Amino acid sequence: MPQVDFWYEFASTYSYPAAMRIGELAARYGVEVAWRPFLLGPLFAEQGWRTSPFNLYAAKGRYMWRDLERICAALALPFRRPEPFPQNSLLAARIALALEGPDRSAFSRAVFRAEFAQGRPIGEPATLAALLDAIGLESQDVLERAQDPANKERLKAETARAMSLGLPGAPCVVTADGEIFWGNDRLEDALEWAGRATAPRDA
Amino acid sequence: MPQVDFWYEFASTYSYPAAMRIGELAARYGVEVAWRPFLLGPLFAEQGWRTSPFNLYAAKGRYMWRDLERICAALALPFRRPEPFPQNSLLAARIALALEGPDRSAFSRAVFRAEFAQGRPIGEPATLAALLDAIGLESQDVLERAQDPANKERLKAETARAMSLGLPGAPCVVTADGEIFWGNDRLEDALEWAGRATAPRDA
């Protein structure tokens, strides 16, 4: 089965609809998804940005909020603008990375839902502990593993990997043959590409 | 018939596929398109950018060129990267604005084709005169009208209008009820919205 990497950031607005729909969509395309949380902060810092470009560039920001509202309405996803934006996503990313497989994707969807559907503060340990408990994980244990120095280093390495791949933002899907597809609106293209690239040539 | 405004800029990369496909697409959706050329330069200047953000932000630029290549391949549109990028689009925009109706859209498609399919210098009057002649217009006469002070002012006013609408870039489709759809990848959404918004409520 072809595999793709799904790079996402918990503070990223378009990562929300992408995270909520990539599971079902990939199953339909027969593609396996590796969930790879990372941090946009260092990518933005390299451009000289100290906050989201949606805050720095007013017309872009206004457009994005309305666009996201329309996208969520079309997908029947509840939507509420996080205050403040962007939320601090560091601990959530560390926790996601400390989990594996279905635990990681279930936790990640729970974080996005809390942040963009319910307006809850995802930077706070209490919010994240409650989300872990709700999906049946031992929150104290997971939080300890998340804050372990080795796990912190792993998140730094993942973020460095995202930068060395040249990801322009989040979310991105990267196929096995190295193609980058940026944005919620490129998920279908990415999954189709992944299926095509690995199809037998003489089928 | 519902109508939309199609705002485009001749130097804008994603305006190329959008301009090449909006005519046929809009006909399929039963929507009328008003072609509105404008200049991105003043919008960029307001953000503090002196050139295209695709030149300023390397990862974004690399991604865009590959993305555009894939989009053109999927649409069977020839593609060649303009050198230098961006091209000077001032005279082309003035000419487009001096034309009306089908002359404007035919000339605009010819400019995009010359620039992005053939790599011709669209900033040069000779290139543009040849394109006008090829679609059966009197190039000398049109060039004179394009450089008329009133037409120059009209382009400034159109660009000011784009800014006051809050367009975040090009291409954009704006519907009669004021929704903005940014990007070649939003054309279908925009045309569907335009059709829906003006459909009889009790149909």
Side-chain angles (χ1 to χ4, degrees), chain A residues 19 48 67 71 90 106 134 153 181:
Chain A
D67 189 42
I71 289 168
L90 177 62
E153 282 309 310
F181 293 85

Side-chain angles (χ1 to χ4, degrees), chain B residues 184-196:
Chain B
N184 168 64
D185 50 19
R186 291 292 191 282
L187 290 191
E188 284 83 353
D189 289 347
L191 295 169
E192 201 194 316
W193 186 284
R196 231 177 7 188

Side-chain angles (χ1 to χ4, degrees), chain A residues 14 47 49 57 59-60 62-63 66-67 70-71 166-168 179-182 185-186 193, chain B residues 14 47 49 57 59-60 62-63 66-67 70-71 166-168 179-182 185-186 193:
Chain A
Y14 288 111
Q47 317 292 354
W49 300 331
Y57 305 113
K60 242 185 110 151
R62 273 195 306 271
Y63 175 77
R66 177 60 185 143
D67 189 42
R70 285 190 308 235
I71 289 168
L167 301 194
E179 291 286 329
I180 299 169
F181 293 85
W182 180 25
D185 50 18
R186 292 290 192 283
W193 186 283
Chain B
Y14 289 110
Q47 317 292 353
W49 300 331
Y57 305 113
K60 241 183 110 151
R62 273 195 306 272
Y63 175 78
R66 177 60 186 143
D67 190 42
R70 286 190 308 235
I71 289 167
L167 302 193
E179 291 288 329
I180 300 169
F181 294 85
W182 180 24
D185 50 19
R186 291 292 191 282
W193 186 284

